[in-house]
Amino acid sequence: MTCGLLQKILVITCFHLIYLSSQQELNFVYHSFGGQENLYLDGSATVLPNGLLQLTNASDHQMAHVFYKKPIGFSSSKPLSFSTHFICALVPRPGFEGGHGMAFVVSPSMDFSHAESDRYLGVFNVSKNGSPSSDVLAVELDTILNPDFEDIDNNHVGIDVHSPLSVGTATASYYSDIKGNNQSINLLTGKPLQVWVEYEDTMLNVSIAPLEVQKPSQPLLSQPINLTEVFPNSSRLFVGFSAATGTATSYQYILSWSFCTNGGSLQTLNISRLPEVPQPRSEHKNYSQLITILLGFIATMGLGVLIGVYLFKKCKYAEVTEEWEKEFGAHRFSYESLYKATKGFNKDGFLGKGGFGEVYRGTLLLSREIAVKRMFHNDDQGVKQFVSEVVSMRCLKHRNLVPLLGYCRRKHELLLVSEYMPNGSLDEHLFDDEKLVLSWPQRLVILKGIASALCYLHTGADQVVLHRDIKASNILLDGEFNGRLGDFGMARFHDHGEYACPTGAVGTIGYMAPEIIDMVASTGTDVYAFGVFMLEVTCGRRPVEPQLQCEKRVLVKWVSRPTMEQVVLYLNNSLPLPDVSPYTVGFSSYSSVLIDAASLVASRSWSASSASSS
Ligand SMILES: *[C@@H]1O[C@H](CO)[C@@H](O)[C@H](O)[C@H]1NC(C)=O
Ligand SMILES: *[C@@H]1O[C@H](CO)[C@@H](O)[C@H](O)[C@H]1NC(C)=O
Ligand SMILES: *[C@@H]1O[C@H](CO)[C@@H](O)[C@H](O)[C@H]1NC(C)=O
Ligand SMILES: *[C@@H]1O[C@H](CO)[C@@H](O)[C@H](O)[C@H]1NC(C)=O
Ligand SMILES: *[C@@H]1O[C@H](CO)[C@@H](O)[C@H](O)[C@H]1NC(C)=O
Ligand SMILES: *[C@@H]1O[C@H](CO)[C@@H](O)[C@H](O)[C@H]1NC(C)=O
Ligand SMILES: *[C@@H]1O[C@H](CO)[C@@H](O)[C@H](O)[C@H]1NC(C)=O
């Protein structure tokens, strides 16, 4: 009895064992893939040291398969049902198109050697395209749009039975239970993505969601499928994954996987234990680094150019300023303003060249016309005195002085700014054939003007000013042909009642008084020079003409002196003054010209051209 019972129990147990072996229940979870137990891997599939299951890396035309080695057994008596939850990540290569995607696969065989990569996802091949020859169910996450597979877009989820032409498909999205609407998902962000596939009662549901979201209450895809019909000749099925790359590539990973059959309870995946997904930032970094470096380079170059321009300008317009000059600041012009006023000391504005430098015409703002005298010097000695005298001169105000406006100072360079005199210098009018010949009245006005200016310098100003270089070339003519004394380059200042310190014999040969040999300048030396200047203006020849014969060479010596008889007659106004012609001997000839106030009005014009023609 007991024996029979035991036998019965044994038979039942054996039957159950046989039953169980054919109708295997599966329930497994891979929080990560560290151990690889019970896993079949082929192609490019590999488990990374951190437990991440890498299906493909970003090389092209790869294919990978991973299967749980133990099959699901099923029979017609007990209908198949299963559910699975996995977390995957499709990581694009930065700067490249991502692809092709991966699939959850249910298949009677783990042999996919005939399958192809690229758009076939390692599941199908060309011959199976539309002509089912082998049994396979695939849930694809497809990131490439293949028109010949009637793909809806390059970011969709599809259910494939025997063929890459999906029986059900939808753009990747999930139903948000919180917001109550569908939220789209980009499969190719590289972020971990949750996927649920459930099959029960000939209904296959697929849901996806981002990592932080609970399983949506509504599936993305709900497809009626009778798996008993899909796998008619099979009693066991393998579950796993397939992935492929083509010319478009992605890193494709499974992070975590849970599976169970026939109503078993699906073990939850622990999201906080997921292996880290490498984000290939390096290339991106390199790229952005390159851009950063390039931008930095451009910025540096730009800055360099700016600094260069600044330094160039600074150098170009560099000036010398010293402490003692501060009090003269108001009289100082910036070099830049003078440079611009004279258009860079353009030769078009060149007025002339004197012993002390070149003179350029310029126009300041508000179209004020100026003359800029540019003097080069090698040592800074005397510059201080020079500048202070320049500034003193600014205080001199007389209608027969050329108004000095200010100065500018650079290394080895002094610039004097004065008002522009439109009619140039007197010597041009005396000696240059092309210039307007001055009439007697004009000459007299000029002489009177200069005499008045000298008088002012000697007695009228705060200090005694010795000009020390009076000559026709230093007399400028304003718009009304008034003589204006200019060029104070040799001027000396001293207080009234004092004497100028001996400074050396300066001046111009022919205008220098005999006593200047003693190195002492006085108002008298200016008077002497003025006398020579008067002769110069009246005679229309230079005080010294070295090319002439000996006795005519020096003007002062050459003018012959009249007899006392003539003098008496001249003084009594009984005899007309002689015609003073530059190259005739003084008083030998006579003319009707009377040098008195009345004669100035109706005098004949002076012929300087006749003078120079001989
Ligand atoms: C992908 O893996 C293969 C084999 O390990 C390797 O030769 C190739 O360089 C890898 N490609 C990339 C892009 O990492
Ligand atoms: C496609 O796969 C089947 C087996 O699944 C195989 O018989 C067939 O030869 C393959 N076709 C090509 C073109 O590889
Ligand atoms: C969400 O998307 C699914 C699949 O495309 C669709 O069946 C469903 O009606 C959508 N739900 C809403 C609320 O739009
Ligand atoms: C599949 O989805 C439908 C619709 O949401 C639902 O009625 C059904 O129970 C789901 N089936 C499974 C196996 O989850
Ligand atoms: C599924 O297919 C099998 C075999 O054709 C059939 O016996 C079964 O009734 C089908 N199931 C449903 C629910 O239609
Ligand atoms: C299934 O097996 C039967 C015979 O056992 C055969 O006639 C049929 O073609 C097979 N079906 C498939 C899809 O292989
Ligand atoms: C998930 O994993 C973390 C760390 O391993 C652990 O502390 C936590 O208890 C786990 N949670 C669940 C629900 O298993």
Side-chain angles (χ1 to χ4, degrees):
M1 193 59 187
T2 39
C3 189
L5 187 70
L6 201 72
Q7 202 176 10
K8 211 175 176 179
I9 289 169
L10 265 174
V11 168
I12 290 168
T13 311
C14 280
F15 179 79
H16 264 266
L17 280 171
I18 292 160
Y19 176 79
L20 280 175
S21 65
S22 66
Q23 185 85 25
Q24 265 182 20
E25 303 279 337
L26 286 186
N27 192 334
F28 62 84
V29 62
Y30 289 96
H31 290 295
S32 67
F33 295 87
Q36 299 184 35
E37 304 129 59
N38 294 324
L39 286 182
Y40 163 86
L41 277 68
D42 73 17
S44 61
T46 178
V47 174
L48 300 181
N50 68 346
L52 192 64
L53 177 57
Q54 177 179 281
L55 295 173
T56 66
N57 66 8
S59 285
D60 53 6
H61 303 293
Q62 290 181 94
M63 187 161 73
H65 302 99
V66 174
F67 284 100
Y68 189 71
K69 275 181 185 163
K70 293 181 187 165
I72 321 165
F74 72 105
S75 66
S76 50
S77 60
K78 188 158 195 321
L80 177 67
S81 71
F82 67 83
S83 63
T84 187
H85 177 204
F86 63 90
I87 297 171
C88 63
L90 311 183
V91 186
R93 195 166 160 199
F96 293 83
E97 192 195 356
H100 270 265
M102 55 169 287
F104 172 74
V105 178
V106 180
S107 162
S109 163
M110 293 192 286
D111 178 13
F112 278 78
S113 54
H114 294 291
E116 289 171 32
S117 63
D118 296 39
R119 58 200 175 130
Y120 298 100
L121 294 176
V123 180
F124 308 102
N125 68 12
V126 177
S127 69
K128 284 181 204 161
N129 193 355
S131 56
S133 60
S134 161
D135 314 326
V136 66
L137 168 79
V139 176
E140 63 172 35
L141 306 179
D142 194 343
T143 57
I144 296 280
L145 192 159
N146 294 299
D148 48 346
F149 295 164
E150 293 166 18
D151 283 353
I152 51 170
D153 57 22
N154 64 353
N155 185 46
H156 63 269
V157 179
I159 297 171
D160 305 338
V161 178
H162 305 321
S163 157
L165 279 111
S166 307
V167 295
T169 182
T171 298
S173 68
Y174 70 97
Y175 178 79
S176 167
D177 290 293
I178 297 167
K179 294 181 179 164
N181 60 12
N182 284 338
Q183 303 276 315
S184 62
I185 298 184
N186 188 350
L187 298 174
L188 255 181
T189 54
K191 287 185 187 155
L193 181 78
Q194 303 190 81
V195 182
W196 292 267
V197 180
E198 289 158 320
Y199 175 75
E200 192 174 17
D201 295 334
T202 67
M203 188 62 93
L204 186 77
N205 290 354
V206 180
S207 305
I208 60 172
L211 200 55
E212 63 279 2
V213 173
Q214 296 277 323
K215 184 187 166 207
S217 63
Q218 296 177 18
L220 173 64
L221 289 170
S222 198
Q223 186 71 33
I225 290 174
N226 189 341
L227 284 188
T228 315
E229 285 174 349
V230 172
F231 304 108
N233 291 349
S234 308
S235 57
R236 51 176 213 166
L237 293 169
F238 295 94
V239 290
F241 303 95
S242 177
T245 61
T247 48
T249 63
S250 308
Y251 298 89
Q252 305 182 105
Y253 304 103
I254 306 289
L255 289 76
S256 194
W257 181 25
S258 177
F259 183 91
C260 78
T261 53
N262 296 330
S265 67
L266 194 65
Q267 297 176 65
T268 47
L269 298 178
N270 190 336
I271 283 165
S272 58
R273 281 169 61 183
L274 295 176
E276 183 99 14
V277 176
Q279 301 293 333
R281 294 243 176 270
S282 56
E283 289 173 70
H284 193 256
K285 220 183 210 168
N286 284 347
Y287 192 60
S288 65
Q289 255 173 8
L290 198 76
I291 288 175
T292 312
I293 289 169
L294 208 73
L295 284 179
F297 182 72
I298 290 168
T300 311
M301 286 289 285
L303 200 70
V305 167
L306 284 181
I307 289 173
V309 167
Y310 171 76
L311 287 180
F312 174 74
K313 280 202 152 188
K314 204 179 154 143
C315 203
K316 187 175 171 185
Y317 300 133
E319 299 172 25
V320 176
T321 312
E322 286 174 51
E323 193 65 22
W324 54 265
E325 280 183 85
K326 276 191 179 156
E327 52 179 308
F328 309 133
H331 308 299
R332 206 180 155 127
F333 282 80
S334 78
Y335 183 72
E336 188 176 354
S337 68
L338 297 182
Y339 189 89
K340 284 180 179 163
T342 57
K343 297 196 176 75
F345 299 100
N346 195 302
K347 62 177 182 338
D348 292 345
F350 183 75
L351 292 175
K353 193 180 166 120
F356 290 96
E358 297 163 343
V359 186
Y360 294 86
R361 179 180 177 175
T363 309
L364 285 179
L365 291 177
L366 308 169
S367 60
R368 183 175 189 182
E369 293 218 283
I370 53 165
V372 181
K373 187 170 200 176
R374 194 184 194 195
M375 295 170 281
F376 294 95
H377 61 94
N378 285 329
D379 55 354
D380 286 346
Q381 232 180 3
V383 164
K384 183 174 177 175
Q385 193 193 355
F386 181 85
V387 171
S388 65
E389 287 178 9
V390 161
V391 173
S392 315
M393 267 168 51
R394 267 213 61 172
C395 306
L396 301 174
K397 292 269 185 298
H398 191 276
R399 60 186 294 271
N400 293 105
L401 295 179
V402 176
L404 191 84
L405 304 175
Y407 77 103
C408 177
R409 202 178 141 217
R410 269 150 70 80
K411 204 175 183 190
H412 304 314
E413 201 176 336
L414 269 169
L415 298 115
L416 287 182
V417 184
S418 54
E419 229 168 63
Y420 172 68
M421 293 288 126
N423 284 315
S425 66
L426 176 58
D427 64 332
E428 292 168 14
H429 289 275
L430 292 179
F431 312 126
D432 190 339
D433 297 351
E434 287 166 20
K435 292 273 176 160
L436 176 81
V437 172
L438 297 171
S439 66
W440 272 115
Q442 281 174 319
R443 291 181 195 226
L444 192 67
V445 166
I446 291 164
L447 286 177
K448 279 178 163 179
I450 301 305
S452 162
L454 262 182
C455 177
Y456 167 77
L457 291 180
H458 289 176
T459 59
D462 292 344
Q463 283 188 306
V464 178
V465 183
L466 304 182
H467 185 276
R468 304 206 302 172
D469 201 16
I470 292 166
K471 56 179 173 182
S473 60
N474 282 346
I475 311 299
L476 296 163
L477 300 176
D478 65 16
E480 285 95 45
F481 283 93
N482 291 309
R484 296 219 185 195
L485 184 55
D487 201 336
F488 282 66
M490 289 191 195
R492 282 290 173 273
F493 295 69
H494 65 82
D495 289 334
H496 290 282
E498 286 180 5
Y499 289 100
C501 304
T503 52
V506 295
T508 302
I509 302 287
Y511 299 87
M512 287 155 84
E515 74 272 13
I516 210 129
I517 310 299
D518 303 335
M519 306 278 182
V520 179
S522 67
T523 51
T525 53
D526 272 355
V527 175
Y528 181 91
F530 181 74
V532 177
F533 164 68
M534 278 181 75
L535 282 174
E536 187 180 12
V537 174
T538 49
C539 298
R541 63 155 277 195
R542 294 175 210 276
V544 181
E545 297 274 18
Q547 79 278 10
L548 290 181
Q549 62 213 62
C550 199
E551 70 270 18
K552 290 184 181 178
R553 231 171 252 170
V554 180
L555 178 61
V556 179
K557 288 181 181 168
W558 168 69
V559 180
S560 10
R561 293 154 198 180
T563 63
M564 281 317 291
E565 188 188 4
Q566 283 173 314
V567 171
V568 171
L569 286 171
Y570 290 144
L571 288 175
N572 289 337
N573 218 357
S574 309
L575 193 69
L577 281 167
D579 183 9
V580 184
S581 173
Y583 299 104
T584 55
V585 175
F587 289 72
S588 61
S589 62
Y590 296 88
S591 79
S592 58
V593 177
L594 277 169
I595 301 186
D596 60 15
S599 73
L600 287 173
V601 184
S603 66
R604 69 180 178 94
S605 73
W606 176 265
S607 171
S609 51
S610 71
S612 56
S613 63
S614 63

